[in-house]
Amino acid sequence: METGRMHNHRQRQVLVFFVCLSMSWGSADLGPYSVVEETERGSFVANLAKDLELGLAEMATRAVRIISQGNKEHLQLKVQTGDLLLNEKLDREELCGSTEPCILHFQVLMEKPLEIFQAELRVKDINDHSPVFNEREIILKIPENSPTGTAFPLSNALDLDVGSNNIQNYTISPNFHFRVITHNRSDGRKYPELVLDKELDREEEPEISLTLTALDGGSPPRYGTAQVRIEVVDINDNAPQFQQLLYKVHIPENSPVGSLVVTVSASDVDSGPYGKISYTFFQPSEDISKTLEVNPNTGEIRLRKQVDFETVLSYEVDVKATDGGGLSGKGTLLLQVVDVNDNPPEVTVSALTSPIPENSQEIVVAVFSVSDPDSGDNGKTTSSIQDDLPFLLKPSVKNFYTLVTERTLDREERAEYNITITVTDMGTPKLKTEHNITVLVSDVNDNAPAFTQTSYTLWVRENNSPALHIGSVSATDTDAGANAQVTYSLLPPPDPLVPLASLVSINPDNGHLFALTSLDYEGLRAFEFRVGATDRGSPALSSQALVRVLVADANDNAPFVLYPLQNASAPCTELVPRAAEPGYLVTKVVAVDGDAGQNAWLSYQLLKATEPGLFGVWAHNGEVRTARLLSERDAPKQRLVVLVKDNGEPPLSASVTLHVLLVDGFSQPYLPAPEAEAAAAAPADPLTVYLVVALASVSSLFLFSVLVFVAVRLCRKGGAALAGRCPVAEGHFPGQLVDVSGTGTLSQSYQYELCLTRGTGTNEFKVLKPILPNLSSKSIGREVEENPSFQGSVGI
């Protein structure tokens, strides 16, 4: 068995000539196989596995199957044994009629790889039909003066069998006047003629009855009979004669009904009724009787129905001309049908693969065959498909084609192809057939999910409720089915210290993000993480996107006052000289707000005051300044309540209480406010105690440093003692006294002349005079004398 290959040229249109089909790929023939008609269904025909040289496992793997023409499954293949069996009883006469030999063509198709083998099954005839005469009785009128040796045609019998099982001989019953001779027609049929061996005498025997027997060549032979009744007529010694014995006519197969085929003509030299001729068909077959008709008077032969070249190629019939005396002559009509291109090509799809996976190369999509029952150029065909498709038509064996992919397919580019196979014949006019095939492309997971954005920025207002939906991420996958189903997840953060799992969660189905806890802008202003989108393909593909969450500030923190402290055991008292000018800086309220933006913009205002209009607060920086000149009528103790308010919505605020002591000079002792005395009586909290201890320690250390500095200066003077005078200690002593210069600076150093009195047992200082010129020693001395409690201490 040979399998030939040819080089396939990639072309869209393939010309296939039925006469040159062996040039396509090459074919291998099987058989021929033969079977006797009327054999029972399931009978063994042949073992294909042996003829194909294939094992039974390979038969199943290569999907061997039988393809019959005409969509009639006469045969079946038993794959388990490789046997070719009959699928039904075969009637040779029904399948092939009078055609001999009776051959049924079929193909053996194998896949993986594709191979097609041509095979044929010959149906052998059996003698299952007897000869049958169309006429049970044949009447002949023979003139009594007919010479011996005259032949009279008789009706032939019909036998559906062929070959030796068909009619082989005719016999006549024994008589004294006639014998029968068997003749052969050009188509192989046999017909009888009655030959006169002895002259007739009407007066002696006016009528003769004989039995005509038709015998076939079967074993045993079958036969059929007909009665021949011969009427001996009076003398009519001239029989009609046709002008030509054979009328050969060609007629196109598309000729309409009623078309004139031919006019036959015969003549008779007799006169009177013996010279009048009528025309009839002599022993026409049933098909001829349905196809042709003859005018008995004119001899015109016309079509009773349209002829079909693909069904019958030619017709042969005898035309009988009979005169009034019963004599007849015979002529033959041979009608040949001329083929016309009246049959479009036929497309039969034997195999179709759909859907086909994308990204696959050179897949056989379909196997189909092309046929055209016309002949010559009318039966030659060309096949093609659309030019804009990634498919190719390749010729296979005989009239088979394979439709294969030209390149890899991409389902995301196109998921369905409507392929039109166009088959055109070469006749005039050209006829074509279009056969549509729909090929689906199945999906392969070759596309990862793609986020709509590479990064997402989400805003969340702090103090949100837990499980709040803060936003969504979205990814799409151009694949289909499970390959396009996207699942979202949170990816582990690069910093393991970030508690991402406690901050946000994501819905794996729709990508919605939720805040799990209430966020605090002051604790966490922003954080970012990555989310992943994974499809459900195998293997799964994924992609990532960055999500940045920004926490928006809410006004949830009231202003906090840093200075003056409100939790001290004793309130802070500011000293203001009565000589202060308007705009004198008393103190500055310092506050902060933990919020951001406009929520942290602070404004200050004087809420309450002992003397309204005496002090003012700058709204933007919290500076408390005198609004006018102080007078003697102003109370020495002033209490101010300053409101600190942010710019949030709604605004939050805090208040601070300031105690201001109006003094005439810097020697006036510190007078605690009543509120301070009450606060001193109250137990202090631990923080206040710590602050007091720290301030006391710093103050003691500072005072000790001043004393050491003074002692060193005195020792350097040589210890000289001057009566009525004290040594002067010069130096800068820091303190929290009020600045009277109006510059607004709270921390200033002032110089005083101090004397350490002799002859006293206590370490008392006397303030002699200030170094600053704008304070008189008289006023200071007066203050000291009026406030003896000032002795033994230094006002700082």
PDB file of all heavy atoms in Angstrom, residues 216-246:
ATOM      1  N   ASP A 216     -33.720 -17.819 -19.225  1.00  0.00           N
ATOM      2  CA  ASP A 216     -32.478 -17.150 -18.824  1.00  0.00           C
ATOM      3  C   ASP A 216     -31.391 -18.178 -18.623  1.00  0.00           C
ATOM      4  O   ASP A 216     -31.631 -19.384 -18.758  1.00  0.00           O
ATOM      5  CB  ASP A 216     -32.690 -16.282 -17.569  1.00  0.00           C
ATOM      6  CG  ASP A 216     -33.087 -17.085 -16.348  1.00  0.00           C
ATOM      7  OD1 ASP A 216     -32.828 -18.327 -16.328  1.00  0.00           O
ATOM      8  OD2 ASP A 216     -33.650 -16.505 -15.398  1.00  0.00           O
ATOM      9  N   GLY A 217     -30.174 -17.723 -18.306  1.00  0.00           N
ATOM     10  CA  GLY A 217     -29.031 -18.620 -18.191  1.00  0.00           C
ATOM     11  C   GLY A 217     -28.692 -18.986 -16.771  1.00  0.00           C
ATOM     12  O   GLY A 217     -27.569 -19.418 -16.499  1.00  0.00           O
ATOM     13  N   GLY A 218     -29.643 -18.803 -15.848  1.00  0.00           N
ATOM     14  CA  GLY A 218     -29.357 -19.129 -14.453  1.00  0.00           C
ATOM     15  C   GLY A 218     -29.308 -20.620 -14.234  1.00  0.00           C
ATOM     16  O   GLY A 218     -29.596 -21.430 -15.113  1.00  0.00           O
ATOM     17  N   SER A 219     -28.919 -20.962 -13.021  1.00  0.00           N
ATOM     18  CA  SER A 219     -28.845 -22.375 -12.655  1.00  0.00           C
ATOM     19  C   SER A 219     -29.568 -22.555 -11.325  1.00  0.00           C
ATOM     20  O   SER A 219     -29.054 -22.110 -10.274  1.00  0.00           O
ATOM     21  CB  SER A 219     -27.394 -22.826 -12.535  1.00  0.00           C
ATOM     22  OG  SER A 219     -27.332 -24.191 -12.150  1.00  0.00           O
ATOM     23  N   PRO A 220     -30.759 -23.131 -11.322  1.00  0.00           N
ATOM     24  CA  PRO A 220     -31.474 -23.606 -12.512  1.00  0.00           C
ATOM     25  C   PRO A 220     -32.036 -22.431 -13.292  1.00  0.00           C
ATOM     26  O   PRO A 220     -32.270 -21.356 -12.723  1.00  0.00           O
ATOM     27  CB  PRO A 220     -32.571 -24.479 -11.913  1.00  0.00           C
ATOM     28  CG  PRO A 220     -32.820 -23.875 -10.573  1.00  0.00           C
ATOM     29  CD  PRO A 220     -31.500 -23.388 -10.081  1.00  0.00           C
ATOM     30  N   PRO A 221     -32.313 -22.586 -14.588  1.00  0.00           N
ATOM     31  CA  PRO A 221     -32.827 -21.472 -15.391  1.00  0.00           C
ATOM     32  C   PRO A 221     -34.275 -21.151 -15.027  1.00  0.00           C
ATOM     33  O   PRO A 221     -35.036 -22.016 -14.600  1.00  0.00           O
ATOM     34  CB  PRO A 221     -32.689 -21.999 -16.819  1.00  0.00           C
ATOM     35  CG  PRO A 221     -32.735 -23.482 -16.701  1.00  0.00           C
ATOM     36  CD  PRO A 221     -32.088 -23.814 -15.385  1.00  0.00           C
ATOM     37  N   ARG A 222     -34.611 -19.882 -15.200  1.00  0.00           N
ATOM     38  CA  ARG A 222     -35.984 -19.414 -15.030  1.00  0.00           C
ATOM     39  C   ARG A 222     -36.534 -19.089 -16.413  1.00  0.00           C
ATOM     40  O   ARG A 222     -35.785 -18.780 -17.344  1.00  0.00           O
ATOM     41  CB  ARG A 222     -36.032 -18.179 -14.120  1.00  0.00           C
ATOM     42  CG  ARG A 222     -35.693 -18.467 -12.655  1.00  0.00           C
ATOM     43  CD  ARG A 222     -35.665 -17.164 -11.866  1.00  0.00           C
ATOM     44  NE  ARG A 222     -35.446 -17.384 -10.454  1.00  0.00           N
ATOM     45  CZ  ARG A 222     -36.414 -17.470  -9.537  1.00  0.00           C
ATOM     46  NH1 ARG A 222     -37.694 -17.356  -9.932  1.00  0.00           N
ATOM     47  NH2 ARG A 222     -36.148 -17.660  -8.259  1.00  0.00           N
ATOM     48  N   TYR A 223     -37.850 -19.081 -16.522  1.00  0.00           N
ATOM     49  CA  TYR A 223     -38.459 -18.827 -17.829  1.00  0.00           C
ATOM     50  C   TYR A 223     -39.763 -18.074 -17.661  1.00  0.00           C
ATOM     51  O   TYR A 223     -40.350 -18.012 -16.572  1.00  0.00           O
ATOM     52  CB  TYR A 223     -38.691 -20.136 -18.570  1.00  0.00           C
ATOM     53  CG  TYR A 223     -39.709 -21.058 -17.896  1.00  0.00           C
ATOM     54  CD1 TYR A 223     -41.058 -21.022 -18.247  1.00  0.00           C
ATOM     55  CD2 TYR A 223     -39.317 -21.956 -16.905  1.00  0.00           C
ATOM     56  CE1 TYR A 223     -41.986 -21.841 -17.629  1.00  0.00           C
ATOM     57  CE2 TYR A 223     -40.235 -22.769 -16.278  1.00  0.00           C
ATOM     58  CZ  TYR A 223     -41.563 -22.714 -16.633  1.00  0.00           C
ATOM     59  OH  TYR A 223     -42.475 -23.515 -16.006  1.00  0.00           O
ATOM     60  N   GLY A 224     -40.210 -17.488 -18.766  1.00  0.00           N
ATOM     61  CA  GLY A 224     -41.492 -16.815 -18.847  1.00  0.00           C
ATOM     62  C   GLY A 224     -42.127 -17.123 -20.208  1.00  0.00           C
ATOM     63  O   GLY A 224     -41.422 -17.358 -21.190  1.00  0.00           O
ATOM     64  N   THR A 225     -43.440 -17.122 -20.269  1.00  0.00           N
ATOM     65  CA  THR A 225     -44.142 -17.502 -21.505  1.00  0.00           C
ATOM     66  C   THR A 225     -45.141 -16.451 -21.912  1.00  0.00           C
ATOM     67  O   THR A 225     -45.584 -15.646 -21.074  1.00  0.00           O
ATOM     68  CB  THR A 225     -44.869 -18.837 -21.314  1.00  0.00           C
ATOM     69  OG1 THR A 225     -45.845 -18.699 -20.279  1.00  0.00           O
ATOM     70  CG2 THR A 225     -43.896 -19.956 -20.963  1.00  0.00           C
ATOM     71  N   ALA A 226     -45.476 -16.438 -23.171  1.00  0.00           N
ATOM     72  CA  ALA A 226     -46.517 -15.590 -23.736  1.00  0.00           C
ATOM     73  C   ALA A 226     -47.190 -16.371 -24.875  1.00  0.00           C
ATOM     74  O   ALA A 226     -46.552 -17.193 -25.551  1.00  0.00           O
ATOM     75  CB  ALA A 226     -45.932 -14.281 -24.242  1.00  0.00           C
ATOM     76  N   GLN A 227     -48.454 -16.089 -25.053  1.00  0.00           N
ATOM     77  CA  GLN A 227     -49.207 -16.758 -26.118  1.00  0.00           C
ATOM     78  C   GLN A 227     -49.119 -15.950 -27.408  1.00  0.00           C
ATOM     79  O   GLN A 227     -49.275 -14.744 -27.397  1.00  0.00           O
ATOM     80  CB  GLN A 227     -50.681 -16.923 -25.718  1.00  0.00           C
ATOM     81  CG  GLN A 227     -50.900 -17.831 -24.514  1.00  0.00           C
ATOM     82  CD  GLN A 227     -50.437 -19.248 -24.781  1.00  0.00           C
ATOM     83  OE1 GLN A 227     -50.694 -19.823 -25.869  1.00  0.00           O
ATOM     84  NE2 GLN A 227     -49.746 -19.823 -23.792  1.00  0.00           N
ATOM     85  N   VAL A 228     -48.827 -16.631 -28.483  1.00  0.00           N
ATOM     86  CA  VAL A 228     -48.744 -16.013 -29.814  1.00  0.00           C
ATOM     87  C   VAL A 228     -49.931 -16.531 -30.640  1.00  0.00           C
ATOM     88  O   VAL A 228     -50.033 -17.757 -30.881  1.00  0.00           O
ATOM     89  CB  VAL A 228     -47.408 -16.321 -30.499  1.00  0.00           C
ATOM     90  CG1 VAL A 228     -47.384 -15.673 -31.879  1.00  0.00           C
ATOM     91  CG2 VAL A 228     -46.240 -15.862 -29.633  1.00  0.00           C
ATOM     92  N   ARG A 229     -50.796 -15.568 -30.979  1.00  0.00           N
ATOM     93  CA  ARG A 229     -51.948 -15.940 -31.812  1.00  0.00           C
ATOM     94  C   ARG A 229     -51.763 -15.347 -33.192  1.00  0.00           C
ATOM     95  O   ARG A 229     -51.665 -14.139 -33.336  1.00  0.00           O
ATOM     96  CB  ARG A 229     -53.241 -15.447 -31.178  1.00  0.00           C
ATOM     97  CG  ARG A 229     -54.491 -15.920 -31.911  1.00  0.00           C
ATOM     98  CD  ARG A 229     -55.703 -15.791 -30.992  1.00  0.00           C
ATOM     99  NE  ARG A 229     -55.926 -14.447 -30.570  1.00  0.00           N
ATOM    100  CZ  ARG A 229     -56.695 -13.555 -31.243  1.00  0.00           C
ATOM    101  NH1 ARG A 229     -57.248 -13.900 -32.384  1.00  0.00           N
ATOM    102  NH2 ARG A 229     -56.869 -12.341 -30.771  1.00  0.00           N
ATOM    103  N   ILE A 230     -51.676 -16.243 -34.180  1.00  0.00           N
ATOM    104  CA  ILE A 230     -51.395 -15.837 -35.565  1.00  0.00           C
ATOM    105  C   ILE A 230     -52.706 -15.918 -36.355  1.00  0.00           C
ATOM    106  O   ILE A 230     -53.342 -16.985 -36.411  1.00  0.00           O
ATOM    107  CB  ILE A 230     -50.329 -16.737 -36.205  1.00  0.00           C
ATOM    108  CG1 ILE A 230     -49.031 -16.662 -35.374  1.00  0.00           C
ATOM    109  CG2 ILE A 230     -50.067 -16.335 -37.646  1.00  0.00           C
ATOM    110  CD1 ILE A 230     -47.994 -17.659 -35.824  1.00  0.00           C
ATOM    111  N   GLU A 231     -53.040 -14.760 -36.901  1.00  0.00           N
ATOM    112  CA  GLU A 231     -54.209 -14.695 -37.786  1.00  0.00           C
ATOM    113  C   GLU A 231     -53.722 -14.624 -39.231  1.00  0.00           C
ATOM    114  O   GLU A 231     -52.956 -13.722 -39.590  1.00  0.00           O
ATOM    115  CB  GLU A 231     -55.069 -13.482 -37.462  1.00  0.00           C
ATOM    116  CG  GLU A 231     -55.696 -13.510 -36.078  1.00  0.00           C
ATOM    117  CD  GLU A 231     -56.511 -12.264 -35.789  1.00  0.00           C
ATOM    118  OE1 GLU A 231     -56.576 -11.385 -36.674  1.00  0.00           O
ATOM    119  OE2 GLU A 231     -57.056 -12.157 -34.687  1.00  0.00           O
ATOM    120  N   VAL A 232     -54.139 -15.553 -40.017  1.00  0.00           N
ATOM    121  CA  VAL A 232     -53.741 -15.605 -41.427  1.00  0.00           C
ATOM    122  C   VAL A 232     -54.726 -14.731 -42.214  1.00  0.00           C
ATOM    123  O   VAL A 232     -55.932 -14.968 -42.198  1.00  0.00           O
ATOM    124  CB  VAL A 232     -53.748 -17.039 -41.964  1.00  0.00           C
ATOM    125  CG1 VAL A 232     -53.295 -17.070 -43.428  1.00  0.00           C
ATOM    126  CG2 VAL A 232     -52.873 -17.936 -41.096  1.00  0.00           C
ATOM    127  N   VAL A 233     -54.207 -13.678 -42.807  1.00  0.00           N
ATOM    128  CA  VAL A 233     -55.057 -12.718 -43.513  1.00  0.00           C
ATOM    129  C   VAL A 233     -54.899 -12.908 -45.015  1.00  0.00           C
ATOM    130  O   VAL A 233     -53.966 -13.552 -45.501  1.00  0.00           O
ATOM    131  CB  VAL A 233     -54.698 -11.289 -43.113  1.00  0.00           C
ATOM    132  CG1 VAL A 233     -54.949 -11.063 -41.637  1.00  0.00           C
ATOM    133  CG2 VAL A 233     -53.273 -10.978 -43.459  1.00  0.00           C
ATOM    134  N   ASP A 234     -55.800 -12.262 -45.625  1.00  0.00           N
ATOM    135  CA  ASP A 234     -55.804 -12.341 -47.066  1.00  0.00           C
ATOM    136  C   ASP A 234     -54.602 -11.603 -47.634  1.00  0.00           C
ATOM    137  O   ASP A 234     -53.931 -10.859 -46.934  1.00  0.00           O
ATOM    138  CB  ASP A 234     -57.112 -11.767 -47.597  1.00  0.00           C
ATOM    139  CG  ASP A 234     -57.418 -12.317 -48.988  1.00  0.00           C
ATOM    140  OD1 ASP A 234     -56.682 -13.209 -49.455  1.00  0.00           O
ATOM    141  OD2 ASP A 234     -58.361 -11.807 -49.575  1.00  0.00           O
ATOM    142  N   ILE A 235     -54.378 -11.670 -48.874  1.00  0.00           N
ATOM    143  CA  ILE A 235     -53.139 -11.221 -49.487  1.00  0.00           C
ATOM    144  C   ILE A 235     -52.997  -9.708 -49.381  1.00  0.00           C
ATOM    145  O   ILE A 235     -53.870  -8.950 -49.754  1.00  0.00           O
ATOM    146  CB  ILE A 235     -53.080 -11.653 -50.953  1.00  0.00           C
ATOM    147  CG1 ILE A 235     -53.042 -13.176 -51.047  1.00  0.00           C
ATOM    148  CG2 ILE A 235     -51.892 -11.046 -51.662  1.00  0.00           C
ATOM    149  CD1 ILE A 235     -53.140 -13.679 -52.466  1.00  0.00           C
ATOM    150  N   ASN A 236     -51.911  -9.308 -48.789  1.00  0.00           N
ATOM    151  CA  ASN A 236     -51.415  -7.928 -48.797  1.00  0.00           C
ATOM    152  C   ASN A 236     -49.923  -8.073 -48.967  1.00  0.00           C
ATOM    153  O   ASN A 236     -49.182  -8.219 -48.022  1.00  0.00           O
ATOM    154  CB  ASN A 236     -51.785  -7.203 -47.510  1.00  0.00           C
ATOM    155  CG  ASN A 236     -51.285  -5.765 -47.494  1.00  0.00           C
ATOM    156  OD1 ASN A 236     -51.047  -5.189 -48.553  1.00  0.00           O
ATOM    157  ND2 ASN A 236     -51.097  -5.220 -46.312  1.00  0.00           N
ATOM    158  N   ASP A 237     -49.488  -8.000 -50.147  1.00  0.00           N
ATOM    159  CA  ASP A 237     -48.141  -8.476 -50.453  1.00  0.00           C
ATOM    160  C   ASP A 237     -47.057  -7.406 -50.356  1.00  0.00           C
ATOM    161  O   ASP A 237     -45.920  -7.643 -50.746  1.00  0.00           O
ATOM    162  CB  ASP A 237     -48.119  -9.113 -51.838  1.00  0.00           C
ATOM    163  CG  ASP A 237     -48.701  -8.202 -52.917  1.00  0.00           C
ATOM    164  OD1 ASP A 237     -49.188  -7.112 -52.533  1.00  0.00           O
ATOM    165  OD2 ASP A 237     -48.631  -8.547 -54.090  1.00  0.00           O
ATOM    166  N   ASN A 238     -47.358  -6.219 -49.841  1.00  0.00           N
ATOM    167  CA  ASN A 238     -46.323  -5.185 -49.677  1.00  0.00           C
ATOM    168  C   ASN A 238     -46.401  -4.628 -48.252  1.00  0.00           C
ATOM    169  O   ASN A 238     -47.425  -4.090 -47.837  1.00  0.00           O
ATOM    170  CB  ASN A 238     -46.527  -4.050 -50.680  1.00  0.00           C
ATOM    171  CG  ASN A 238     -46.220  -4.490 -52.104  1.00  0.00           C
ATOM    172  OD1 ASN A 238     -45.074  -4.704 -52.470  1.00  0.00           O
ATOM    173  ND2 ASN A 238     -47.269  -4.654 -52.907  1.00  0.00           N
ATOM    174  N   ALA A 239     -45.309  -4.748 -47.561  1.00  0.00           N
ATOM    175  CA  ALA A 239     -45.206  -4.215 -46.200  1.00  0.00           C
ATOM    176  C   ALA A 239     -44.619  -2.796 -46.246  1.00  0.00           C
ATOM    177  O   ALA A 239     -43.867  -2.453 -47.169  1.00  0.00           O
ATOM    178  CB  ALA A 239     -44.335  -5.107 -45.338  1.00  0.00           C
ATOM    179  N   PRO A 240     -44.953  -1.976 -45.265  1.00  0.00           N
ATOM    180  CA  PRO A 240     -44.373  -0.625 -45.223  1.00  0.00           C
ATOM    181  C   PRO A 240     -42.854  -0.695 -45.109  1.00  0.00           C
ATOM    182  O   PRO A 240     -42.294  -1.576 -44.436  1.00  0.00           O
ATOM    183  CB  PRO A 240     -45.000  -0.005 -43.983  1.00  0.00           C
ATOM    184  CG  PRO A 240     -46.248  -0.784 -43.752  1.00  0.00           C
ATOM    185  CD  PRO A 240     -45.942  -2.190 -44.194  1.00  0.00           C
ATOM    186  N   GLN A 241     -42.186   0.277 -45.705  1.00  0.00           N
ATOM    187  CA  GLN A 241     -40.730   0.359 -45.673  1.00  0.00           C
ATOM    188  C   GLN A 241     -40.316   1.763 -45.177  1.00  0.00           C
ATOM    189  O   GLN A 241     -40.778   2.775 -45.691  1.00  0.00           O
ATOM    190  CB  GLN A 241     -40.160   0.120 -47.080  1.00  0.00           C
ATOM    191  CG  GLN A 241     -40.456  -1.248 -47.658  1.00  0.00           C
ATOM    192  CD  GLN A 241     -39.711  -2.338 -46.931  1.00  0.00           C
ATOM    193  OE1 GLN A 241     -38.570  -2.115 -46.470  1.00  0.00           O
ATOM    194  NE2 GLN A 241     -40.332  -3.510 -46.822  1.00  0.00           N
ATOM    195  N   PHE A 242     -39.437   1.790 -44.136  1.00  0.00           N
ATOM    196  CA  PHE A 242     -38.926   3.062 -43.632  1.00  0.00           C
ATOM    197  C   PHE A 242     -37.886   3.613 -44.588  1.00  0.00           C
ATOM    198  O   PHE A 242     -37.161   2.852 -45.237  1.00  0.00           O
ATOM    199  CB  PHE A 242     -38.320   2.889 -42.236  1.00  0.00           C
ATOM    200  CG  PHE A 242     -39.352   2.847 -41.137  1.00  0.00           C
ATOM    201  CD1 PHE A 242     -39.864   1.630 -40.694  1.00  0.00           C
ATOM    202  CD2 PHE A 242     -39.817   4.021 -40.577  1.00  0.00           C
ATOM    203  CE1 PHE A 242     -40.797   1.599 -39.690  1.00  0.00           C
ATOM    204  CE2 PHE A 242     -40.753   3.979 -39.559  1.00  0.00           C
ATOM    205  CZ  PHE A 242     -41.261   2.770 -39.118  1.00  0.00           C
ATOM    206  N   GLN A 243     -37.837   4.940 -44.640  1.00  0.00           N
ATOM    207  CA  GLN A 243     -36.854   5.589 -45.507  1.00  0.00           C
ATOM    208  C   GLN A 243     -35.441   5.309 -45.023  1.00  0.00           C
ATOM    209  O   GLN A 243     -34.501   5.256 -45.825  1.00  0.00           O
ATOM    210  CB  GLN A 243     -37.124   7.090 -45.577  1.00  0.00           C
ATOM    211  CG  GLN A 243     -38.443   7.455 -46.236  1.00  0.00           C
ATOM    212  CD  GLN A 243     -38.676   8.954 -46.266  1.00  0.00           C
ATOM    213  OE1 GLN A 243     -37.869   9.726 -45.743  1.00  0.00           O
ATOM    214  NE2 GLN A 243     -39.783   9.367 -46.895  1.00  0.00           N
ATOM    215  N   GLN A 244     -35.234   5.171 -43.706  1.00  0.00           N
ATOM    216  CA  GLN A 244     -33.941   4.784 -43.151  1.00  0.00           C
ATOM    217  C   GLN A 244     -34.191   3.861 -41.975  1.00  0.00           C
ATOM    218  O   GLN A 244     -35.142   4.037 -41.213  1.00  0.00           O
ATOM    219  CB  GLN A 244     -33.124   6.020 -42.727  1.00  0.00           C
ATOM    220  CG  GLN A 244     -33.793   6.929 -41.716  1.00  0.00           C
ATOM    221  CD  GLN A 244     -33.002   8.204 -41.467  1.00  0.00           C
ATOM    222  OE1 GLN A 244     -33.113   9.138 -42.259  1.00  0.00           O
ATOM    223  NE2 GLN A 244     -32.207   8.210 -40.411  1.00  0.00           N
ATOM    224  N   LEU A 245     -33.352   2.907 -41.874  1.00  0.00           N
ATOM    225  CA  LEU A 245     -33.550   1.912 -40.823  1.00  0.00           C
ATOM    226  C   LEU A 245     -33.141   2.429 -39.444  1.00  0.00           C
ATOM    227  O   LEU A 245     -33.648   1.950 -38.426  1.00  0.00           O
ATOM    228  CB  LEU A 245     -32.767   0.638 -41.168  1.00  0.00           C
ATOM    229  CG  LEU A 245     -33.214  -0.100 -42.438  1.00  0.00           C
ATOM    230  CD1 LEU A 245     -32.347  -1.319 -42.673  1.00  0.00           C
ATOM    231  CD2 LEU A 245     -34.683  -0.491 -42.344  1.00  0.00           C
ATOM    232  N   LEU A 246     -32.193   3.394 -39.374  1.00  0.00           N
ATOM    233  CA  LEU A 246     -31.706   3.911 -38.089  1.00  0.00           C
ATOM    234  C   LEU A 246     -31.809   5.429 -38.088  1.00  0.00           C
ATOM    235  O   LEU A 246     -31.249   6.092 -38.966  1.00  0.00           O
ATOM    236  CB  LEU A 246     -30.259   3.480 -37.838  1.00  0.00           C
ATOM    237  CG  LEU A 246     -29.616   4.003 -36.553  1.00  0.00           C
ATOM    238  CD1 LEU A 246     -30.351   3.462 -35.320  1.00  0.00           C
ATOM    239  CD2 LEU A 246     -28.138   3.609 -36.497  1.00  0.00           C
TER     240      LEU A 246
END
